[in-house]
Amino acid sequence: MAKSVDFSAYDAESFYDEVFDSQGQPRPEAQLLVDSINGLPPGELLRRQEAIDQAMMRMGITFAVYGDDRGTEKIWPFDIVPRIVGSQEWRTVEQGLKQRIRALNLFIDDIYHDQEILNDGIIPRALIENASSFREQCRGLNPPRGVWVHITGTDLIRHADGQIYVLEDNLRCPSGVSYVLQNRLLMKRSFPGIFKACRVRPVIDYPSGLLQTLQSLAPETYEPTIVVLTPGVYNSAYYEHSFLAQQMGVELVEGRDLVVKDGFVCMRTTEGFQRVDVIYRRIDDDFIDPKVFREDSVLGVPGLMEAYRNGRVALANAPGTGIADDKVVYAFVPEMIKYYLGEEAILPNVETYVCEVPEHREYVLSHLNELVVKPANESGGYGMMIGTRASADEIKKFDELIRKNPRNYIAQPVLSLSRVPTLIDGVFEGRHVDLRPYILYGEDVRVLPGGLTRVALRKGSLVVNSSQGGGSKDTWVVADSDEELTGLD
């Protein structure tokens, strides 16, 4: 007999749950979904999850894990229960993200020009000058309209107090939006009809929004040629690079496909050289131009930075933006918002200890078994330590690392991330999640309604990164009752 799966035995325990309140009742925006799942015939939910898994396999929705010799590409784990965000809460998130990205852009422009925020002592000068992500070569660059960061993915978490906090900003080559689009496509097939009933805001127009953002950067007004520049098939996000290029209808290129000719960047085609106007580069600063950054890079394009500096090609994101997602610099974003915009931060930071600051360092070293320690420029969950789960040897190792190079480390309290019911071995269990919304900054700032909900599939784990055993869920942002929804996907 087919197994019935519903929420009757689901226990949110003492955690903040995104679908059920503390009394075990569905939150208002989740009521229809809960009723829908509870009303499915026995075996139907498991059948739909299995159909999604098979579709993921057929569609080649994959990612890669560096250093894993079991194969280059892995299927992206996906769970069928979405995270749901109410309209009022989303408005606050959207306003906070727009505020944040405006301040971060002003900061980057300032850092590579007059450095007024350093001159005024708001951020210690040494923290910037000693940052491995600071690029002296970018001094005096002038991106179109002064915007340096055109595509951002900002990680948010909700703590047990119910407050949403910014965990970190991803300003260099933020990944994951392709999975947002594919997750939605598969959920639409699995739950036809419920999206309209739940008034879920669409995400399908992200590729056209990205294309418009890139078009707005073109140095001249005619129809520009745009390309996506990838490091190649061995990059962990290669699937996304190819997906976005295909969705936008532009060429996916590698460095060897481009050449600087007569001061302009050109693409090799079967009909000869074709000028390129805008490059959505998914290659880190160090590798984009061996004449300016790493001499041994074979991924980039020699002469690209000179063409960029002369305004003959546009780059998204601009080189040098990594200075603003250094995790040490992150600690100062609320001060940036106040300094550049004269406003209080709408979305708070997680409390952060900067190990370069002596009194912070002293506290961190004496509380390592209580804190999460992160290196300044790592991503994907690599190089971090969760003190509450660390062995004595790990704590000793991080004590030594911090003392040796305090500039490279921050520490934060261990937060109790909110959870969402997740289908585990045929039953619902709570699993911790975060949320990465995506922000586009061209002629204006626009925030994709929703984003990538990442879920820690291992029981009790707080690490949601796909490279560390995480998966994803669809994110449903519910529209206001009077909001007209067009182009429902």
Side-chain angles (χ1 to χ4, degrees):
M1 182 176 176
K3 184 177 180 181
S4 179
V5 180
D6 60 31
F7 292 105
S8 58
Y10 178 68
D11 183 2
E13 304 176 67
S14 58
F15 297 98
Y16 188 102
D17 195 278
E18 300 287 346
V19 174
F20 293 92
D21 64 20
S22 59
Q23 306 303 309
Q25 298 301 309
R27 299 185 185 279
E29 57 272 14
Q31 184 71 60
L32 275 174
L33 174 76
V34 171
D35 291 345
S36 175
I37 290 177
N38 282 342
L40 291 174
E44 180 60 20
L45 189 69
L46 296 176
R47 187 195 67 76
R48 294 186 188 189
Q49 176 71 65
E50 185 178 347
I52 289 176
D53 294 342
Q54 291 175 351
M56 289 270 186
M57 186 79 74
R58 285 196 306 273
M59 296 163 70
I61 302 174
T62 61
F63 69 105
V65 177
Y66 296 130
D68 190 330
D69 56 7
R70 289 173 294 179
T72 303
E73 297 291 318
K74 300 181 182 305
I75 298 300
W76 180 252
F78 175 78
D79 183 76
I80 201 167
V81 183
R83 176 185 188 147
I84 303 182
V85 184
S87 58
Q88 186 174 351
E89 180 162 66
W90 183 253
R91 269 198 301 277
T92 302
V93 169
E94 189 174 32
Q95 290 167 1
L97 292 173
K98 287 181 176 179
Q99 178 196 55
R100 194 173 181 94
I101 198 60
R102 286 194 168 104
L104 284 166
N105 268 289
L106 290 169
F107 165 73
I108 300 169
D109 199 59
D110 186 17
I111 286 301
Y112 288 117
H113 288 88
D114 297 333
Q115 300 192 335
E116 292 177 351
I117 197 168
L118 307 186
N119 297 336
D120 289 339
I122 306 301
I123 298 177
R125 180 176 294 278
L127 286 182
I128 302 302
E129 292 181 345
N130 295 329
S132 62
S133 53
F134 177 73
R135 297 287 180 269
E136 185 65 35
Q137 302 93 327
C138 295
R139 285 262 201 162
L141 286 180
N142 292 298
R145 288 187 294 280
V147 178
W148 291 69
V149 182
H150 314 94
I151 301 105
T152 310
T154 296
D155 293 344
L156 307 176
I157 56 97
R158 190 199 299 278
H159 186 38
D161 59 5
Q163 172 69 49
I164 288 179
Y165 295 87
V166 176
L167 187 62
E168 63 183 48
D169 304 286
N170 299 282
L171 306 179
R172 303 180 212 200
C173 302
S175 295
V177 74
S178 60
Y179 303 116
V180 175
L181 303 175
Q182 296 288 39
N183 288 351
R184 177 59 56 85
L185 175 66
L186 294 171
M187 284 294 284
K188 286 282 288 181
R189 291 179 183 173
S190 298
F191 291 94
I194 195 170
F195 283 82
K196 188 173 183 180
C198 290
R199 297 185 56 74
V200 180
R201 292 181 62 182
V203 297
I204 196 170
D205 63 349
Y206 179 84
S208 62
L210 176 60
L211 183 61
Q212 289 171 13
T213 299
L214 297 173
Q215 288 171 333
S216 74
L217 309 180
E220 297 181 25
T221 56
Y222 65 91
E223 186 172 338
T225 296
I226 297 169
V227 299
V228 176
L229 176 61
T230 176
V233 68
Y234 293 107
N235 185 268
S236 63
Y238 180 75
Y239 166 79
E240 175 156 298
H241 304 164
S242 58
F243 176 83
L244 290 176
Q246 186 269 334
Q247 290 291 305
M248 290 191 290
V250 305
E251 295 290 338
L252 177 70
V253 300
E254 298 183 23
R256 61 191 175 186
D257 300 318
L258 301 179
V259 63
V260 175
K261 186 176 175 59
D262 299 328
F264 293 91
V265 177
C266 296
M267 174 172 51
R268 292 186 173 92
T269 75
T270 55
E271 298 176 348
F273 291 112
Q274 179 182 351
R275 181 177 161 182
V276 172
D277 303 289
V278 182
I279 299 174
Y280 178 22
R281 55 103 177 190
R282 299 295 296 258
I283 296 179
D284 290 340
D285 288 350
D286 283 342
F287 300 98
I288 59 173
D289 183 350
K291 285 188 172 181
V292 175
F293 298 108
R294 281 184 55 159
E295 294 180 1
D296 60 343
S297 172
V298 294
L299 301 175
V301 185
L304 175 60
M305 283 297 290
E306 184 177 357
Y308 178 64
R309 185 178 285 277
N310 291 333
R312 292 178 168 179
V313 69
L315 294 172
N317 292 328
T321 54
I323 187 60
D325 71 9
D326 180 306
K327 291 182 176 61
V328 175
V329 175
Y330 152 89
F332 294 89
V333 174
E335 283 81 1
M336 289 179 203
I337 293 172
K338 195 175 297 182
Y339 183 77
Y340 293 114
L341 304 179
E343 302 169 1
E344 296 294 329
I346 296 172
L347 296 173
N349 272 16
V350 175
E351 183 180 11
T352 301
Y353 301 96
V354 176
C355 294
E356 179 73 354
V357 178
E359 53 268 35
H360 286 204
R361 182 167 65 249
E362 184 178 345
Y363 178 84
V364 170
L365 291 173
S366 59
H367 294 80
L368 279 173
N369 62 340
E370 303 170 13
L371 300 169
V372 179
V373 180
K374 300 177 180 177
N377 289 288
E378 291 282 354
S379 60
Y382 293 104
M384 62 182 281
M385 181 195 75
I386 300 177
T388 53
R389 300 177 183 185
S391 66
D393 285 346
E394 286 177 294
I395 289 177
K396 182 182 177 186
K397 172 187 168 187
F398 273 82
D399 183 291
E400 293 170 351
L401 288 171
I402 292 170
R403 291 180 192 276
K404 186 177 180 182
N405 184 10
R407 168 60 182 80
N408 193 46
Y409 290 94
I410 65 162
Q412 296 170 327
V414 178
L415 300 179
S416 178
L417 273 59
S418 63
R419 303 199 315 187
V420 175
T422 302
L423 194 55
I424 306 290
D425 297 330
V427 297
F428 288 124
E429 295 183 359
R431 290 292 186 270
H432 297 292
V433 294
D434 76 351
L435 175 62
R436 177 178 290 181
Y438 295 88
I439 306 106
L440 297 174
Y441 196 165
E443 293 180 346
D444 198 2
V445 183
R446 54 198 295 183
V447 181
L448 181 71
L452 183 66
T453 289
R454 300 184 298 177
V455 53
L457 292 173
R458 284 197 286 265
K459 187 172 186 177
S461 174
L462 297 172
V463 183
V464 299
N465 305 82
S466 56
S467 54
Q468 308 283 322
S472 75
K473 291 169 168 285
D474 197 8
T475 308
W476 293 6
V477 171
V478 177
D480 282 322
S481 57
D482 59 349
E483 182 179 346
E484 183 179 355
L485 291 178
T486 58
L488 281 172
D489 52 327

